[in-house]
Amino acid sequence: MDTIARTPQQVGAGIRRFRRQKKLTQRDLGEKMHARQATVSKLEAGEPATQLRMLMDALAGLDLELVIRPRTKLTAEAIEDLF
Amino acid sequence: MDTIARTPQQVGAGIRRFRRQKKLTQRDLGEKMHARQATVSKLEAGEPATQLRMLMDALAGLDLELVIRPRTKLTAEAIEDLF
DNA sequence: CGTCAATATGCGCGTTCGCGAATATTTATT
DNA sequence: AATAAATATTCGCGAACGCGCATATTGACG
């Protein structure tokens, strides 16, 4: 399932969901992306000042990618996902 | 047209493309997101240490959103887009 | 409950952000 | 070629990063 993100928090939540789906710990992901577990923690918490590099490294570590696209109207289901 | 991004540089290039599509200058976008023109410049250049907040603010200013999804096989067309 | 794994938080350090402000430098446009 | 607009780059500053290292705190499970 793809994840829509419009805020740092939603980005973090998306990363976390995919990481858990792959049964990886923050430490596991941290090793893949050469970052500390603490850094992964902040990224998933949606810390707004997290560096873009950390996001992209995490995506690579989880074999994910970003799509940038015009905002869509949120469906009822998509709204559910935000919570 | 949606943009696929796997690196900070590709993220920046995507932002730039959408900004130009909307006939906005870096200064225009900067005002919308309460950031300096210089900051927009670095974001579009793909500076890896750019803050996540800057990315999300820029997307909001351009009425865009992110999708996080599993990496896809790149089609010939998508590969073109990377250059 | 107790125990261990997983996650969150803290400190000091070096680095780099984004800021205001200003200035190159590049890119139209005529 | 000349001018103006757009973009890139620099300075000093305060703030926050990610780091190693260490320690709470929380969560899962027997």
Side-chain angles (χ1 to χ4, degrees):
Chain A
M1 180 59 70
D2 300 355
T3 296
I4 296 177
R6 300 182 176 185
T7 67
Q9 289 79 10
Q10 288 166 9
V11 170
I15 297 274
R16 172 164 288 171
R17 199 165 85 191
F18 280 109
R19 174 180 60 79
R20 286 183 169 156
Q21 216 168 56
K22 292 192 160 61
K23 304 291 186 192
L24 296 175
T25 67
Q26 291 182 346
R27 183 168 302 280
D28 294 336
L29 176 53
E31 280 172 15
K32 279 175 184 278
M33 56 188 276
H34 312 105
R36 296 181 310 148
Q37 173 264 321
T39 300
V40 177
S41 175
K42 290 194 90 179
L43 170 62
E44 292 186 352
E47 174 59 50
T50 302
Q51 295 178 7
L52 183 53
R53 159 168 277 286
M54 294 302 138
L55 169 60
M56 303 316 286
D57 286 354
L59 294 175
L62 295 170
D63 207 43
L64 302 172
E65 69 188 6
L66 285 185
V67 174
I68 304 174
R69 71 176 189 196
R71 288 197 177 194
T72 56
K73 286 203 194 92
L74 290 177
T75 64
E77 185 188 7
I79 290 175
E80 292 292 327
D81 289 348
L82 298 182
F83 300 99
Chain B
M1 180 59 69
D2 299 355
T3 296
I4 296 177
R6 299 182 175 184
T7 67
Q9 289 79 9
Q10 287 166 10
V11 169
I15 297 274
R16 173 164 288 172
R17 199 166 83 187
F18 280 109
R19 174 179 60 79
R20 287 183 169 157
Q21 215 168 58
K22 293 190 160 59
K23 305 290 186 192
L24 296 174
T25 67
Q26 289 182 347
R27 182 169 302 280
D28 294 335
L29 176 54
E31 281 172 15
K32 278 176 184 277
M33 56 188 277
H34 311 104
R36 296 181 310 149
Q37 172 264 324
T39 300
V40 176
S41 176
K42 288 193 92 180
L43 170 63
E44 292 186 351
E47 175 59 50
T50 301
Q51 294 179 8
L52 183 53
R53 158 168 279 285
M54 294 302 138
L55 169 60
M56 303 316 287
D57 286 355
L59 294 175
L62 296 170
D63 206 44
L64 303 172
E65 69 189 5
L66 285 185
V67 173
I68 304 173
R69 70 177 190 197
R71 289 196 177 195
T72 56
K73 287 204 196 90
L74 290 177
T75 64
E77 186 187 7
I79 290 175
E80 293 291 328
D81 289 347
L82 298 182
F83 300 98

